[in-house]
Amino acid sequence: MLLSVRDLRSAFFLDEGELWAVDGISFDVDVGETVGLVGESGCGKTIVALSILDLIPYPGRVVSGRVSFEGRDLLSTRDWTSMMRSARPCRSSARWGSPSPRSGPGAIRSSFLEE
């Protein structure tokens, strides 16, 4: 298993109270698989990805759950940020933005091949 996410929960802690952005998502990604997060606007797709990559902005944070990358439990690893930052350029990528004819699957493949 390349990536395993179990019961991931992320929240933003605001003066007005807690805002739960991710509430218990679980999924696996095997080597060679491609995953797309699909859902309505504001449902938490971006925060799921940011939480896994340790890029969730303040005042948000991962509250609980388990994220394993190549068998390493990232949430309990003290050097999670440095390990993910070293792995990110060569092992993972994210494509942000709204769907359009220029950003369809063919455009994505083309842009990765060009890079």
Side-chain angles (χ1 to χ4, degrees), residues 8-12 19-23 47 51 56 61-63:
L8 184 64
R9 302 167 65 93
S10 297
F12 289 85
L19 173 64
W20 288 90
V22 178
D23 192 15
I47 301 303
S51 296
I56 190 168
R61 66 180 172 92
V62 175
V63 176

Side-chain angles (χ1 to χ4, degrees), residues 83-100:
M83 199 277 291
M84 283 306 294
R85 287 190 178 141
S86 68
R88 196 178 301 130
C90 61
R91 298 208 177 148
S92 64
S93 64
R95 171 100 168 141
W96 311 107
S98 300
S100 72

Side-chain angles (χ1 to χ4, degrees), residues 4-25:
S4 179
V5 177
R6 290 285 171 263
D7 199 28
L8 184 64
R9 302 167 65 93
S10 297
F12 289 85
F13 297 90
L14 311 169
D15 292 336
E16 298 83 10
E18 297 173 3
L19 173 64
W20 288 90
V22 178
D23 192 15
I25 190 170

Side-chain angles (χ1 to χ4, degrees), residues 5 31 39 52 72 80 82 84 88 105:
V5 177
V31 174
I52 292 168
R72 291 180 66 180
W80 183 31
S82 62
M84 283 306 294
R88 196 178 301 130

Side-chain angles (χ1 to χ4, degrees), residues 34 89 92-96 104-115:
T34 300
S92 64
S93 64
R95 171 100 168 141
W96 311 107
I108 294 169
R109 278 193 302 271
S110 171
S111 68
F112 279 114
L113 290 174
E114 290 170 6
E115 292 175 8

Side-chain angles (χ1 to χ4, degrees), residues 35-55:
V35 173
L37 298 175
V38 179
E40 295 181 17
S41 178
C43 72
K45 302 176 298 289
T46 299
I47 301 303
V48 167
L50 292 175
S51 296
I52 292 168
L53 295 172
D54 192 26
L55 294 174

Side-chain angles (χ1 to χ4, degrees), residues 60-77:
R61 66 180 172 92
V62 175
V63 176
S64 65
R66 181 175 178 170
V67 177
S68 298
F69 181 73
E70 294 184 333
R72 291 180 66 180
D73 183 3
L74 301 180
L75 295 181
S76 67
T77 303

